[in-house]
Amino acid sequence: MKSTRKGLRNDELYKDTYQRLNCAECEKTLATENPPDEVYNVRKCPDCGREWKELP
């Protein structure tokens, strides 16, 4: 699982006009999941299922 920063650098993700993260393939806004025992959030595309870690 890559970080959201690497996803933005590799053009896998992009930010829309409201600064929301979107998947470059599906063009869908990423959903956020909060694992209870982890420090980071997981950002997941609802269509293709790809995941990225979002560090605080």
Side-chain angles (χ1 to χ4, degrees):
M1 184 180 332
K2 294 182 182 180
S3 71
T4 53
R5 287 184 184 202
K6 285 185 181 179
L8 285 166
R9 281 189 219 133
N10 295 335
D11 295 327
E12 297 172 356
L13 299 174
Y14 69 93
K15 288 187 177 183
D16 64 5
T17 55
Y18 298 107
Q19 298 298 312
R20 293 179 295 209
L21 287 173
N22 294 311
C23 179
E25 284 186 23
C26 308
E27 298 184 359
K28 296 287 183 179
T29 301
L30 301 180
T32 303
E33 296 177 6
N34 298 327
D37 297 335
E38 300 297 334
V39 176
Y40 58 86
N41 293 329
V42 175
R43 303 297 301 258
K44 185 174 182 179
C45 179
D47 283 354
C48 66
R50 293 173 26 181
E51 297 180 338
W52 294 270
K53 275 196 253 185
E54 184 175 51
L55 302 171

